[in-house]
Amino acid sequence: MTRAELKKQAKDSLKGRWGEIIAMIIVYQLILSGISLISNFIPSAGSIVMLIITVPLSFGFIGQIMKFSRGEKVGICDYFKIGFDNFSKSWSIVGNTFLKLLPITILFIVTIIGMIVVCVTKASGDVEEFLTWFFIMLAVYIVVFIVFWVQSYLYILVNYIGNDNLHLSGKEIVMQSKEIMNGHRWEYFVLNISFIGWFLLSILTLGIGFLWLIPYMQVTEVKFYESLINNNEQSEIITNN
């Protein structure tokens, strides 16, 4: 499916229901902001509590958007039920995704530490030597960042697959996302970039435009996922035959 077709499908799903999804997203963001505010008053453990809560909420939010996109009736706060009914599932997905990205994450952290060490040890020495080391480390940092970003795209579908396949384990869901997204990361990147004009327009409207842009992007991403799933199923049928 082309980007134009995906966006048309998204617009069709949103037609006559903009108010409903805008209300869902506003309430969701207010709840996250409230949780963040409350966690600030809990010494030390506040960030942990927020993380524990937001992981299933994020899973539930994607599930709610998927239901909305498919024309199903959804409540304003259904992500609570979807998320906390699948609390362990959502955390299993996050854990397995983290393990997949752990090697490149460690390399990323080591690169940052390397840049700090260069700045501390070379700053007081020869300027030319300092700049040489600094730009070498900066180049390594940029390369590692790009690799991390590209690898993370393999797991962008985990919450979508998880909501559609509650019987699968977190590990199986992560592996399916990797398999489905392999060869489609560039398409996903270009799809996101295609919203840049709307993004800039939303900024010019002092953020008001984001009330329409975020639902538009969210539903389009559901259509992208469904398109890949359909193509993947067709490929399996052809292979099996």
Side-chain angles (χ1 to χ4, degrees), residues 9 13-14 17 20-21 24-25 58-75 78-79 82 93 156-166 173 215 217-227 229:
Q9 282 196 356
S13 294
L14 288 162
R17 302 182 70 194
E20 183 181 346
I21 193 169
M24 287 192 314
I25 290 175
S58 298
F59 181 86
F61 178 71
I62 293 298
Q64 183 172 3
I65 295 296
M66 291 171 69
K67 288 177 179 292
F68 175 91
S69 174
R70 293 165 179 174
E72 298 178 29
K73 185 176 177 59
V74 290
D78 278 3
Y79 37 80
I82 297 170
I93 291 171
I156 207 73
L157 300 179
V158 289
N159 281 337
Y160 296 92
I161 296 170
N163 273 283
D164 266 346
N165 301 274
L166 296 175
I173 289 166
M217 291 182 67
Q218 289 284 354
V219 175
T220 301
E221 190 162 308
V222 175
K223 301 305 180 184
F224 174 77
Y225 156 72
E226 291 174 343
S227 175
I229 290 296

Side-chain angles (χ1 to χ4, degrees), residues 80-205:
F80 274 105
K81 178 172 175 51
I82 297 170
F84 286 99
D85 280 354
N86 298 282
F87 184 89
S88 59
K89 176 76 66 182
S90 65
W91 267 102
S92 177
I93 291 171
V94 168
N96 279 278
T97 302
F98 174 76
L99 289 175
K100 287 292 182 182
L101 293 173
L102 184 58
I104 190 65
T105 301
I106 293 173
L107 182 59
F108 187 66
I109 294 171
V110 169
T111 305
I112 294 174
I113 294 173
M115 290 188 69
I116 295 172
V117 170
V118 166
C119 289
V120 171
T121 59
K122 303 292 183 179
S124 59
D126 182 70
V127 175
E128 185 176 343
E129 182 184 7
F130 167 73
L131 290 176
T132 299
W133 275 102
F134 178 79
F135 283 113
I136 288 173
M137 293 305 300
L138 180 61
V140 172
Y141 171 83
I142 292 171
V143 170
V144 172
F145 176 80
I146 292 172
V147 172
F148 176 84
W149 176 62
V150 170
Q151 284 298 105
S152 66
Y153 265 26
L154 287 172
Y155 310 106
I156 207 73
L157 300 179
V158 289
N159 281 337
Y160 296 92
I161 296 170
N163 273 283
D164 266 346
N165 301 274
L166 296 175
H167 61 286
L168 295 179
S169 67
K171 183 177 181 180
E172 290 170 329
I173 289 166
V174 170
M175 291 305 295
Q176 276 206 14
S177 179
K178 181 179 180 180
E179 180 182 341
I180 294 169
M181 278 300 292
N182 191 32
H184 297 284
R185 283 173 286 185
W186 178 251
E187 294 171 39
Y188 181 76
F189 171 73
V190 174
L191 178 63
N192 279 299
I193 289 297
S194 70
F195 288 100
I196 191 68
W198 290 107
F199 182 84
L200 295 174
L201 183 61
S202 297
I203 293 175
L204 291 175
T205 58

Side-chain angles (χ1 to χ4, degrees), residues 47-63:
S47 297
I48 297 174
V49 171
M50 183 177 178
L51 182 63
I52 291 172
I53 295 173
T54 54
V55 165
L57 280 184
S58 298
F59 181 86
F61 178 71
I62 293 298

